[in-house]
Amino acid sequence: MIVWLASYPKSGNTFVRSMLASYFFSKDGSYDFSLIKNIKQFPHGGLFQKLGIDISNQSEVIKNYIKVQDIINKSGSIQFLKTHSFFFDQFTNLKNTLGVIYIVRDPRNVIISFSNFMNFSTEKTLKLMIKGKGDGLTWMENWSSNYNSWKIFKKYQKYLLIKYEDLIEKPDKIFLEILQFIHKLQNKSKIIIDENKFKNTIKSTSFSNLQKLEKEKGFPEAHKDQNTGKIIPFFSLGSKRDWTKSLDENIIFELEKNFNQEMKELGYL
């Protein structure tokens, strides 16, 4: 069954994927970018095209979400899948979903990171975060809807909320919580942690090491600047990104006004 790694873009999803890939798909917890391929994105055009589904037809894609997940789950093992989609009724069901790990980040830092990643102005990104977006495959909706929609799995005890800021500050503690949550979802009596793999995972997926790996080998999910053709670093500032030093006051005001309830709930205000 599927454990969803859900988030709004640039909120730490890749960080969590890297940690899980390092721990579950390596021999000793030593991470490299090839391991992240074990955790695919959903929806992904290739999965649908293999079934002959026209990915330019939005209604056909949505109609086949569950069918594609049924196929993914045929192996019978846990499948980690990344998504930036908000949750809606046709997205998944309890038959296919084992649980949800939702990763959230202060939207005042999200907007800076997302603008840099997409090479957008903060004004353009602000509109995207407030009004929402869907591209036929992934329906992100706005920042607050994305965050709130996945809470539905709380009532099934299949939901774990992770704050990006905590993940950066205390990765060992938060990653242990993630592993315990996954273990609990499987109804196993006692969790046994491979201490060596755990330590190596924390060390090899540190933000500084991810930056180093990207400089040495490049990161396949990085984007090109459409004007210059240069690759925009995916792992740019991380924990050093500080909205208080670089974000326009009008942008801050709009984010805090539109997402006031959620930001207070999360302790960002």
Side-chain angles (χ1 to χ4, degrees):
M1 293 177 72
I2 297 167
V3 175
W4 295 103
L5 309 178
S7 71
Y8 195 82
K10 303 307 290 182
S11 299
N13 201 311
T14 299
F15 195 6
V16 173
R17 281 192 296 149
S18 298
M19 297 176 90
L20 288 171
S22 181
Y23 188 81
F24 285 103
F25 301 110
S26 73
K27 290 182 179 179
D28 62 358
S30 297
Y31 181 70
D32 66 72
F33 288 145
S34 66
L35 293 172
I36 207 168
K37 295 177 182 177
N38 289 288
I39 303 179
K40 295 178 171 57
Q41 181 165 323
F42 187 93
H44 186 280
L47 296 172
F48 291 81
Q49 288 173 321
K50 285 181 180 179
L51 295 175
I53 299 165
D54 180 5
I55 61 172
S56 66
N57 187 323
Q58 297 176 357
S59 61
E60 280 298 304
V61 170
I62 292 173
K63 189 171 71 175
N64 283 282
Y65 274 178
I66 301 299
K67 181 179 179 180
V68 171
Q69 291 171 36
D70 287 338
I71 294 171
I72 290 172
N73 276 324
K74 279 186 176 179
S75 67
S77 60
I78 286 184
Q79 305 288 324
F80 297 110
L81 288 182
K82 162 195 172 181
T83 188
H84 288 317
S85 176
F86 82 112
F87 175 79
F88 54 101
D89 287 342
Q90 299 105 309
F91 185 82
T92 189
N93 56 22
L94 291 176
K95 175 188 172 186
N96 283 295
T97 296
L98 186 63
V100 176
I101 298 170
Y102 192 90
I103 309 108
V104 71
R105 184 184 188 185
D106 190 324
R108 294 167 296 193
N109 273 329
V110 169
I111 195 171
I112 302 171
S113 186
F114 200 14
S115 296
N116 179 67
F117 178 66
M118 297 299 295
N119 199 26
F120 287 170
S121 67
T122 50
E123 290 76 15
K124 183 175 180 178
T125 308
L126 177 68
K127 290 179 181 178
L128 178 62
M129 290 180 68
I130 292 174
K131 293 183 178 180
K133 174 182 178 290
D135 63 6
L137 282 175
T138 300
W139 294 86
M140 298 188 315
E141 277 298 309
N142 60 40
W143 182 85
S144 58
S145 294
N146 194 292
Y147 162 65
N148 286 316
S149 68
W150 286 95
K151 291 178 185 176
I152 192 171
F153 286 93
K154 278 185 176 181
K155 65 181 180 181
Y156 304 110
Q157 297 184 317
K158 292 176 175 289
Y159 178 87
L160 177 67
L161 177 67
I162 296 296
K163 290 173 70 175
Y164 173 84
E165 294 79 11
D166 292 338
L167 192 62
I168 291 291
E169 184 180 341
K170 41 193 176 185
D172 48 351
K173 179 178 183 296
I174 301 303
F175 188 54
L176 180 58
E177 288 181 11
I178 291 172
L179 294 180
Q180 289 172 333
F181 174 70
I182 294 168
H183 184 82
K184 184 179 178 182
L185 290 173
Q186 300 175 80
N187 294 317
K188 293 183 178 178
S189 57
K190 185 178 180 181
I191 185 170
I192 299 174
I193 300 295
D194 185 320
E195 295 293 342
N196 185 57
K197 286 186 80 172
F198 186 89
K199 289 177 182 178
N200 286 340
T201 292
I202 300 301
K203 182 179 179 180
S204 64
T205 60
S206 68
F207 196 84
S208 59
N209 194 57
L210 294 176
Q211 282 183 314
K212 180 183 176 184
L213 284 173
E214 182 174 23
K215 286 179 181 178
E216 292 174 351
K217 301 179 180 180
F219 184 58
E221 296 179 21
H223 279 194
K224 277 187 179 181
D225 185 314
Q226 293 182 350
N227 296 318
T228 65
K230 292 182 179 179
I231 299 293
I232 301 170
F234 190 93
F235 303 100
S236 54
L237 291 177
S239 61
K240 296 179 181 178
R241 194 173 299 286
D242 187 354
W243 61 269
T244 63
K245 296 178 180 178
S246 59
L247 201 55
D248 183 89
E249 288 184 4
N250 292 325
I251 300 290
I252 296 171
F253 174 79
E254 288 298 325
L255 287 171
E256 293 180 353
K257 180 183 73 173
N258 283 275
F259 306 138
N260 187 269
Q261 180 179 333
E262 290 79 15
M263 291 179 73
K264 284 182 177 177
E265 178 183 309
L266 290 161
Y268 293 139
L269 287 178

